[in-house]
Amino acid sequence: MPLSCVAATPARTAEPQPLPDFRKLVKQNEAAVVNISSTQAPSKQNTNRKPGLPDLPGKENPYLEFFKRFFQDRPELPGDRQSNSLGSGFVISADGYILTNAHVAQDADKIIVRLSDQRERPAKVIGVDDLTDVAVLKIEGDNLPTVKIGDSDALEVGEWVLAIGSPFGLEHTATQGIVSAVGRNLPSGTYVPFIQSDVAVNPGSSGGPLFNLRGEVVGINSQIYSSTGGYMGLSFAIPIKLAIQVVEQLKATGEVTRGWLGVLLQAVNNDLAEAFKLDRPRGALVAQILPDSPAISAGFKPGDVILRYGGEPVEDSSQLPRMIGVTPVGKTVAMSILRNGEPLEIKATIARLETVEDPVTTMDEHSEPRLSITVADLSNEQRRMLSADEQGVLVTALDAGPAANAGLYPDDIILQINHIPVKSANQFVELAKELPKGKAVPIWVRRENETLYLAVRLPDDVPTPQAVPR
């Protein structure tokens, strides 16, 4: 039977989608976007800090220096005042409430808001929240143009967004791009799940609005990633839902109240997941418990891995501070944890967040060849600086090997190994002899002002220590 030929049907090509037209959006909203400048007495300024750089934690983060907030510095003026910041903001109510960044309004002696019609009005600072970089200002006025507030939780990666601000003082500049990521964690934002976009923003754009295609504000432009101080394709905005929660508290009381559990947390990597008997990296590892905290009263222990908070899963350690922070003070919350591989439920009554501080400095050395590490007993002074339930040994030297590979450093204090408290250098050496080959085990370490967990793994071919006749 002859074969019949069937003509191939040409593949249908998708109709090209038109690019969005932002003209109407800009016309409807630019009148609600304002320019903000402030003056500050020189005595109030921090001369130890480069202008435009936030005071960020985590000095060891290699990318930290590239996260910048958007200041534009002006030349020093004659007299006893200096104009030191220029930013943006937007009107959220017709009676003159304005939303901007904390670092735009902070420590200012005088703030001037310039409206879209070039009128200038002095602004009063209603409240500033450093932890989210949100500030609320108030100017006199009636029937002022306002923005429409959107739902930042509904944002999706790939969605078009537009920013309006005053980069380098060029007022009402509009730039567009797409949402690159949501819920982004930055070294400067423990309580902020940033919106990342590729919208071009520059110094002076700080505090300006980020709009979706419906003309609704979904974020406040706050930071950029830059090695030059200018835009390099990565910008970060505070979700408007979080900002409005802060605004409500600042308007009501002038401050923001957050929940506090009293634990220092650490991310769980692959080795730590194995060491703590997790099926995969997830949860928040409790590295340290602060004194007089709800965590102590609830019975938390270092090494606990928090997997659920109030019924919500904790996939990453960065989620938990935000979950605790929005919990009402005095509320009792049930948490699912893993302790030594066993599931457990703990209930804690959340307290109010306050600032807590803590510190560490060398004596009879013992080397441990399996880990390629040398440790020493602590001095009395060092012991006094640890909490009552902490002892430990000091790392005095490291060679290439398992301990260095795990991330230990000289001057670290090892508090536990494989969940066993370390009381002396001699005991540490004995405990190290019992470590299994080829298996990750946790080491609890005090480093300067923080405590953290590391996972050390002995290679399969490491020699087993033998008794040597003397």
Side-chain angles (χ1 to χ4, degrees):
M1 180 180 292
L3 295 175
S4 59
C5 295
V6 179
T9 304
R12 297 181 65 181
T13 57
E15 290 293 324
Q17 296 297 312
L19 292 173
D21 186 342
F22 291 102
R23 288 177 295 178
K24 183 178 179 181
L25 191 161
V26 173
K27 288 176 183 177
Q28 289 177 338
N29 290 283
E30 63 180 348
V33 181
V34 300
N35 179 270
I36 298 172
S37 59
S38 65
T39 58
Q40 182 183 51
S43 60
K44 287 189 179 182
Q45 294 171 25
N46 183 352
T47 56
N48 296 322
R49 174 178 160 190
K50 291 183 181 179
L53 288 177
D55 292 323
L56 304 181
K59 290 178 286 187
E60 73 286 350
N61 190 310
Y63 302 110
L64 192 56
E65 64 178 295
F66 297 124
F67 286 96
K68 319 255 190 225
R69 290 173 177 169
F70 318 132
F71 274 117
Q72 177 184 350
D73 289 336
R74 287 178 160 182
E76 189 167 347
L77 300 175
D80 61 350
R81 291 181 181 273
Q82 178 181 333
S83 179
N84 74 337
S85 73
L86 187 66
S88 304
F90 50 99
V91 183
I92 57 173
S93 67
D95 57 349
Y97 282 97
I98 292 170
L99 197 50
T100 186
N101 284 146
H103 69 266
V104 171
Q106 207 162 37
D107 297 327
D109 295 308
K110 184 179 180 182
I111 295 176
I112 298 297
V113 169
R114 185 183 300 122
L115 302 174
S116 60
D117 59 7
Q118 300 304 309
R119 287 180 296 166
E120 292 187 349
R121 297 187 180 176
K124 176 184 177 182
V125 178
I126 300 300
V128 170
D129 182 48
D130 287 331
L131 294 181
T132 54
D133 194 25
V134 169
V136 181
L137 309 179
K138 176 72 168 66
I139 61 172
E140 293 300 321
D142 294 307
N143 300 316
L144 293 173
T146 63
V147 297
K148 188 190 305 181
I149 301 300
D151 181 5
S152 50
D153 284 351
L155 269 183
E156 296 184 31
V157 175
E159 187 172 337
W160 285 98
V161 281
L162 176 132
I164 301 178
S166 304
F168 303 107
L170 302 171
E171 298 177 27
H172 298 102
T173 297
T175 54
Q176 54 79 25
I178 63 165
V179 175
S180 306
V182 293
R184 181 69 79 199
N185 302 306
L186 299 184
S188 61
T190 303
Y191 293 95
V192 181
F194 284 97
I195 301 163
Q196 179 184 329
S197 77
D198 65 350
V199 175
V201 288
N202 279 290
S205 300
S206 195
L210 187 71
F211 294 95
N212 62 19
L213 282 182
R214 292 181 293 279
E216 302 164 335
V217 174
V218 290
I220 308 173
N221 296 313
S222 173
Q223 298 187 38
I224 58 175
Y225 173 94
S226 177
S227 59
T228 64
Y231 172 70
M232 291 180 65
L234 294 169
S235 55
F236 300 90
I238 302 158
I240 196 64
K241 181 178 179 180
L242 172 64
I244 292 299
Q245 291 171 352
V246 171
V247 168
E248 290 170 354
Q249 291 197 56
L250 291 177
K251 287 174 69 174
T253 65
E255 62 178 356
V256 177
T257 300
R258 289 186 175 84
W260 179 61
L261 180 60
V263 291
L264 299 186
L265 302 172
Q266 186 178 341
V268 178
N269 59 23
N270 276 300
D271 282 346
L272 287 171
E274 179 184 332
F276 285 92
K277 301 184 175 130
L278 284 162
D279 56 340
R280 59 182 175 84
R282 61 191 175 104
L285 175 58
V286 177
Q288 183 179 349
I289 300 171
L290 298 174
D292 303 318
S293 66
I296 283 184
S297 302
F300 274 97
K301 295 182 179 179
D304 289 344
V305 181
I306 301 173
L307 300 175
R308 299 184 75 84
Y309 179 86
E312 294 294 318
V314 180
E315 288 295 323
D316 188 272
S317 61
S318 62
Q319 289 178 266
L320 193 56
R322 298 196 289 266
M323 297 168 85
I324 296 169
V326 298
T327 304
V329 173
K331 182 176 180 179
T332 299
V333 180
M335 284 163 268
S336 301
I337 71 168
L338 199 68
R339 178 178 292 169
N340 296 330
E342 298 296 326
L344 189 66
E345 185 169 284
I346 284 185
K347 292 183 178 179
T349 301
I350 301 303
R352 177 174 172 153
L353 176 67
E354 308 287 353
T355 55
V356 183
E357 299 189 30
D358 194 29
V360 149
T361 53
T362 131
M363 250 186 144
D364 192 358
E365 292 188 335
H366 293 254
S367 63
E368 208 306 301
R370 298 180 89 207
L371 297 175
S372 301
I373 190 173
T374 302
V375 297
D377 291 325
L378 299 177
S379 66
N380 289 333
E381 179 63 24
Q382 286 171 319
R383 292 188 187 281
R384 273 195 296 273
M385 296 180 113
L386 297 172
S387 65
D389 59 343
E390 294 175 352
Q391 297 187 50
V393 294
L394 182 73
V395 177
T396 58
L398 287 161
D399 294 321
N405 294 340
L408 280 160
Y409 286 94
D411 295 331
D412 284 349
I413 295 176
I414 299 174
L415 304 172
Q416 288 183 12
I417 184 167
N418 206 15
H419 303 295
I420 300 174
V422 176
K423 300 177 181 177
S424 69
N426 187 58
Q427 182 217 13
F428 174 83
V429 171
E430 294 303 314
L431 291 172
K433 291 177 182 177
E434 305 300 321
L435 295 179
K437 297 177 183 178
K439 187 176 179 181
V441 298
I443 290 186
W444 189 33
V445 172
R446 170 68 68 89
R447 179 175 297 163
E448 294 182 347
N449 295 336
E450 63 179 359
T451 355
L452 65 154
Y453 275 93
L454 303 173
V456 65
R457 185 192 301 270
L458 286 173
D460 291 323
D461 57 353
V462 67
T464 302
Q466 302 292 325
V468 179
R470 293 184 180 273

